[in-house]
Amino acid sequence: PKTAYVRTKPHLNIGTMGHVDHGKTTLTAAITKVLAERGAGTFVPFDRIDRAPEEAARGITINIAHVEYETDTRHYAHVDMPGHADYVKNMVTGAAQLDGAILVVSALDGIMPQTAEHVLLARQVGVDHIVVALNKADAGDEELTDLVELEVRELLTAHGYGGDAVPVVRVSGLKALEGDPRWTASVEALLDAVDTYVPMPERYLDAPFLLPVENVLTITGRGTVVTGAVERGTVRVGDRVEVLGASVETVVTGLETFGKPMEEAQAGDNVALLLRGVARDTVRRGHVVAAPGSVVPARRFSAQVYVLSAREGGRTTPVSTGYRPQFYIRTADVVGDVDLGEAAVARPGDTVTMTVELGRDVPLEPGLGFAVREGGRTVGAGTVTAVH
Ligand code: GDP
Ligand code: MG
């Protein structure tokens, strides 16, 4: 039998972000190694994070690796993503719901374009706390590293993060991974900074249960399982739930987190829900599992949208009323008609107000973030301001 998940410490979701090759994956592996040596988790080697085998095996198109570990005071789920496009997609759509982030900046290279873009993204999706890992400090020159630190603090201040107060820790993921005591201590210092600087978020535990479906799988002999992060509320084995999108009401007959059975899942947890009597092909990624009657889907809403500049991988030409892109809302992908009102036109780099009419009903509410995509790339990031 599997060991049950025991909730002994508060749970937070964090992740590494930063420019490609600055050492995010190496640092993620190093964190798991340092903590595994303390007996507080399992070492996850670089190759397993970078290829995210669990996700690939299930045929998920989104590239995101989850690892879990514990410090003395907290339990963390940590995400790492391979490429810049994965960050844009996962962060803006909320697939990576981060309570805090570790911004990895190479002390050798300093701020690069994706460093700045990830800070901007973090701000837009409501990540309020960032801790900086000045990585590759083993290979960096001290004075140059001081300059990089100044530059990073300025960047954070420019995006409203209060750069003077942000912890900046000089680390070497690579040397810590090799077991070098000095750099192992640097990773411990980084984790202490995360423990103390990133506060426990308000979890909306009392709100009705809601989980956006990320993936659906079949467990032979047991039935259909949906996976995802609990957005709000709690759910227990035996609870009735509604699957919005599938128009099904059913009962949760099993609950797991990271392969361990649990009695109750709460907001912020990454879980798998076993649903009674639901056929595999009736539930899809993009559907929402919620407490019955707690959400009313809609298709018309107003939003504030940032149109990505060409430099950020966005469009090179403006959009106008009548534009019909895809909207990624939670885990759903829905076409929508854009009405820009009086402005009528939005240029790359602009932040605009728009009204959207979706092709089908989805659960919507003010404050909900989404991505605007076209031809397979993200061209905008927005927040719902009103539902009509
Ligand atoms: P990512 O793209 O941000 O995930 O970066 P990776 O973790 O894949 O690392 C990119 C390269 O930087 C690899 O060749 C690593 O070995 C190297 N690297 C990562 N961390 C360090 C470090 O702390 N010191 C040094 N010298 N090299 C590092
Ligand atoms: Mg990587």
Side-chain angles (χ1 to χ4, degrees), residues 141-171:
D141 160 275
E142 190 113 4
E143 277 175 35
L144 199 68
T145 307
D146 288 343
L147 285 178
V148 171
E149 176 170 339
L150 274 178
E151 189 187 40
V152 177
R153 290 189 186 279
E154 270 171 27
L155 172 75
L156 290 170
T157 300
H159 287 88
Y161 282 104
D164 291 342
V166 168
V168 177
V169 185
R170 296 178 188 205
V171 302

Short mmCIF file of all heavy atoms in Angstrom, two decimals, residues 141-171:
data_model
loop_
_atom_site.label_atom_id
_atom_site.label_comp_id
_atom_site.label_asym_id
_atom_site.label_seq_id
_atom_site.Cartn_x
_atom_site.Cartn_y
_atom_site.Cartn_z
N ASP A 141 33.33 36.96 -11.23
CA ASP A 141 34.25 37.89 -10.60
C ASP A 141 33.42 38.73 -9.61
O ASP A 141 32.30 39.12 -9.91
CB ASP A 141 34.85 38.74 -11.73
CG ASP A 141 35.43 40.04 -11.25
OD1 ASP A 141 34.66 41.02 -11.13
OD2 ASP A 141 36.63 40.07 -11.00
N GLU A 142 33.97 38.95 -8.41
CA GLU A 142 33.21 39.60 -7.33
C GLU A 142 32.66 40.97 -7.71
O GLU A 142 31.49 41.27 -7.45
CB GLU A 142 34.11 39.71 -6.09
CG GLU A 142 33.35 40.14 -4.84
CD GLU A 142 33.30 39.01 -3.81
OE1 GLU A 142 33.90 37.94 -4.03
OE2 GLU A 142 32.64 39.22 -2.79
N GLU A 143 33.49 41.80 -8.31
CA GLU A 143 33.04 43.16 -8.64
C GLU A 143 31.96 43.16 -9.71
O GLU A 143 31.01 43.93 -9.65
CB GLU A 143 34.23 44.01 -9.11
CG GLU A 143 34.98 44.59 -7.94
CD GLU A 143 36.23 45.33 -8.36
OE1 GLU A 143 36.21 45.96 -9.44
OE2 GLU A 143 37.23 45.23 -7.63
N LEU A 144 32.12 42.28 -10.65
CA LEU A 144 31.12 42.16 -11.72
C LEU A 144 29.80 41.67 -11.12
O LEU A 144 28.71 42.17 -11.46
CB LEU A 144 31.62 41.17 -12.77
CG LEU A 144 30.94 41.28 -14.13
CD1 LEU A 144 31.33 42.59 -14.79
CD2 LEU A 144 31.33 40.10 -15.01
N THR A 145 29.90 40.73 -10.19
CA THR A 145 28.71 40.20 -9.54
C THR A 145 27.99 41.30 -8.76
O THR A 145 26.76 41.37 -8.75
CB THR A 145 29.08 39.01 -8.62
OG1 THR A 145 29.83 38.07 -9.40
CG2 THR A 145 27.85 38.31 -8.08
N ASP A 146 28.77 42.21 -8.12
CA ASP A 146 28.16 43.34 -7.41
C ASP A 146 27.34 44.19 -8.38
O ASP A 146 26.25 44.64 -8.05
CB ASP A 146 29.25 44.24 -6.79
CG ASP A 146 29.92 43.58 -5.58
OD1 ASP A 146 29.34 42.60 -5.05
OD2 ASP A 146 31.01 44.04 -5.19
N LEU A 147 27.89 44.40 -9.55
CA LEU A 147 27.18 45.20 -10.57
C LEU A 147 25.89 44.51 -11.01
O LEU A 147 24.85 45.14 -11.16
CB LEU A 147 28.07 45.43 -11.79
CG LEU A 147 29.19 46.45 -11.62
CD1 LEU A 147 30.01 46.55 -12.90
CD2 LEU A 147 28.61 47.83 -11.26
N VAL A 148 26.00 43.20 -11.22
CA VAL A 148 24.82 42.44 -11.64
C VAL A 148 23.74 42.55 -10.55
O VAL A 148 22.56 42.75 -10.83
CB VAL A 148 25.18 40.96 -11.92
CG1 VAL A 148 23.92 40.13 -12.15
CG2 VAL A 148 26.10 40.86 -13.14
N GLU A 149 24.17 42.46 -9.30
CA GLU A 149 23.21 42.56 -8.19
C GLU A 149 22.48 43.90 -8.22
O GLU A 149 21.25 43.97 -8.09
CB GLU A 149 23.91 42.35 -6.84
CG GLU A 149 22.94 42.53 -5.69
CD GLU A 149 23.49 42.12 -4.32
OE1 GLU A 149 24.46 41.33 -4.25
OE2 GLU A 149 22.92 42.59 -3.32
N LEU A 150 23.22 44.97 -8.42
CA LEU A 150 22.62 46.32 -8.50
C LEU A 150 21.59 46.40 -9.61
O LEU A 150 20.48 46.91 -9.44
CB LEU A 150 23.71 47.36 -8.79
CG LEU A 150 24.46 47.94 -7.61
CD1 LEU A 150 25.53 48.90 -8.11
CD2 LEU A 150 23.48 48.67 -6.69
N GLU A 151 22.00 45.86 -10.75
CA GLU A 151 21.17 45.87 -11.94
C GLU A 151 19.86 45.10 -11.71
O GLU A 151 18.78 45.54 -12.10
CB GLU A 151 22.02 45.21 -13.04
CG GLU A 151 21.52 45.26 -14.43
CD GLU A 151 22.41 44.40 -15.35
OE1 GLU A 151 22.85 43.29 -14.94
OE2 GLU A 151 22.64 44.83 -16.48
N VAL A 152 19.97 43.96 -11.04
CA VAL A 152 18.78 43.14 -10.76
C VAL A 152 17.86 43.88 -9.80
O VAL A 152 16.64 43.91 -9.98
CB VAL A 152 19.16 41.76 -10.18
CG1 VAL A 152 17.92 40.96 -9.83
CG2 VAL A 152 20.00 40.98 -11.17
N ARG A 153 18.44 44.49 -8.76
CA ARG A 153 17.60 45.22 -7.80
C ARG A 153 16.86 46.37 -8.50
O ARG A 153 15.70 46.63 -8.21
CB ARG A 153 18.46 45.76 -6.65
CG ARG A 153 18.97 44.67 -5.72
CD ARG A 153 19.62 45.26 -4.48
NE ARG A 153 20.25 44.26 -3.65
CZ ARG A 153 19.61 43.48 -2.77
NH1 ARG A 153 18.30 43.60 -2.61
NH2 ARG A 153 20.26 42.59 -2.05
N GLU A 154 17.54 47.03 -9.42
CA GLU A 154 16.89 48.12 -10.18
C GLU A 154 15.73 47.60 -11.03
O GLU A 154 14.67 48.19 -11.08
CB GLU A 154 17.90 48.81 -11.10
CG GLU A 154 18.60 49.97 -10.44
CD GLU A 154 19.75 50.50 -11.27
OE1 GLU A 154 19.71 50.36 -12.52
OE2 GLU A 154 20.69 51.05 -10.67
N LEU A 155 15.98 46.49 -11.69
CA LEU A 155 14.94 45.89 -12.53
C LEU A 155 13.71 45.56 -11.68
O LEU A 155 12.57 45.85 -12.06
CB LEU A 155 15.46 44.60 -13.20
CG LEU A 155 14.42 43.77 -13.95
CD1 LEU A 155 14.07 44.43 -15.29
CD2 LEU A 155 14.93 42.35 -14.21
N LEU A 156 13.95 44.98 -10.51
CA LEU A 156 12.83 44.59 -9.64
C LEU A 156 12.09 45.82 -9.14
O LEU A 156 10.85 45.85 -9.12
CB LEU A 156 13.34 43.73 -8.47
CG LEU A 156 13.81 42.33 -8.90
CD1 LEU A 156 14.53 41.63 -7.77
CD2 LEU A 156 12.61 41.48 -9.37
N THR A 157 12.83 46.84 -8.79
CA THR A 157 12.20 48.08 -8.32
C THR A 157 11.34 48.67 -9.44
O THR A 157 10.21 49.11 -9.20
CB THR A 157 13.27 49.10 -7.87
OG1 THR A 157 14.00 48.50 -6.80
CG2 THR A 157 12.64 50.40 -7.39
N ALA A 158 11.85 48.64 -10.65
CA ALA A 158 11.12 49.20 -11.80
C ALA A 158 9.79 48.47 -12.02
O ALA A 158 8.86 49.03 -12.59
CB ALA A 158 11.97 49.11 -13.06
N HIS A 159 9.69 47.23 -11.55
CA HIS A 159 8.45 46.47 -11.71
C HIS A 159 7.66 46.37 -10.40
O HIS A 159 6.78 45.52 -10.27
CB HIS A 159 8.74 45.07 -12.26
CG HIS A 159 9.12 45.10 -13.71
ND1 HIS A 159 10.41 45.28 -14.13
CD2 HIS A 159 8.36 45.03 -14.82
CE1 HIS A 159 10.44 45.29 -15.45
NE2 HIS A 159 9.21 45.14 -15.90
N GLY A 160 8.02 47.23 -9.45
CA GLY A 160 7.22 47.30 -8.22
C GLY A 160 7.53 46.23 -7.20
O GLY A 160 6.71 45.95 -6.32
N TYR A 161 8.70 45.62 -7.28
CA TYR A 161 9.05 44.59 -6.30
C TYR A 161 9.89 45.09 -5.13
O TYR A 161 10.31 44.30 -4.30
CB TYR A 161 9.77 43.42 -6.98
CG TYR A 161 8.83 42.51 -7.71
CD1 TYR A 161 8.73 42.54 -9.09
CD2 TYR A 161 8.02 41.64 -7.00
CE1 TYR A 161 7.83 41.71 -9.76
CE2 TYR A 161 7.13 40.80 -7.66
CZ TYR A 161 7.05 40.84 -9.03
OH TYR A 161 6.17 40.02 -9.68
N GLY A 162 10.14 46.38 -5.05
CA GLY A 162 10.95 46.89 -3.94
C GLY A 162 12.30 46.23 -3.89
O GLY A 162 12.64 45.52 -2.94
N GLY A 163 13.07 46.43 -4.96
CA GLY A 163 14.35 45.73 -5.16
C GLY A 163 15.34 45.82 -4.01
O GLY A 163 16.15 44.92 -3.82
N ASP A 164 15.25 46.88 -3.19
CA ASP A 164 16.20 47.01 -2.08
C ASP A 164 15.97 45.95 -1.01
O ASP A 164 16.89 45.54 -0.31
CB ASP A 164 16.08 48.40 -1.44
CG ASP A 164 16.60 49.49 -2.39
OD1 ASP A 164 17.34 49.13 -3.33
OD2 ASP A 164 16.24 50.66 -2.20
N ALA A 165 14.71 45.53 -0.88
CA ALA A 165 14.36 44.58 0.18
C ALA A 165 14.43 43.13 -0.28
O ALA A 165 14.45 42.21 0.54
CB ALA A 165 12.95 44.88 0.68
N VAL A 166 14.49 42.92 -1.58
CA VAL A 166 14.47 41.55 -2.11
C VAL A 166 15.77 40.83 -1.73
O VAL A 166 16.86 41.35 -1.94
CB VAL A 166 14.31 41.59 -3.65
CG1 VAL A 166 14.58 40.24 -4.27
CG2 VAL A 166 12.91 42.08 -4.01
N PRO A 167 15.67 39.62 -1.19
CA PRO A 167 16.90 38.87 -0.90
C PRO A 167 17.61 38.48 -2.21
O PRO A 167 16.96 37.98 -3.12
CB PRO A 167 16.40 37.60 -0.18
CG PRO A 167 14.99 37.85 0.19
CD PRO A 167 14.46 38.88 -0.76
N VAL A 168 18.90 38.75 -2.26
CA VAL A 168 19.71 38.35 -3.42
C VAL A 168 20.80 37.44 -2.86
O VAL A 168 21.62 37.88 -2.06
CB VAL A 168 20.32 39.57 -4.13
CG1 VAL A 168 21.22 39.12 -5.28
CG2 VAL A 168 19.22 40.51 -4.65
N VAL A 169 20.77 36.17 -3.25
CA VAL A 169 21.71 35.20 -2.68
C VAL A 169 22.64 34.69 -3.77
O VAL A 169 22.18 34.29 -4.85
CB VAL A 169 20.93 34.01 -2.04
CG1 VAL A 169 21.89 33.07 -1.33
CG2 VAL A 169 19.86 34.53 -1.08
N ARG A 170 23.93 34.74 -3.50
CA ARG A 170 24.91 34.27 -4.49
C ARG A 170 25.07 32.76 -4.34
O ARG A 170 25.43 32.29 -3.26
CB ARG A 170 26.25 34.98 -4.28
CG ARG A 170 26.05 36.46 -4.53
CD ARG A 170 27.28 37.29 -4.31
NE ARG A 170 26.87 38.69 -4.42
CZ ARG A 170 27.66 39.68 -4.76
NH1 ARG A 170 28.94 39.44 -4.98
NH2 ARG A 170 27.19 40.91 -4.84
N VAL A 171 24.77 32.06 -5.40
CA VAL A 171 24.78 30.59 -5.32
C VAL A 171 25.53 29.97 -6.49
O VAL A 171 25.86 30.66 -7.48
CB VAL A 171 23.33 30.02 -5.31
CG1 VAL A 171 22.53 30.57 -4.14
CG2 VAL A 171 22.61 30.33 -6.62
#
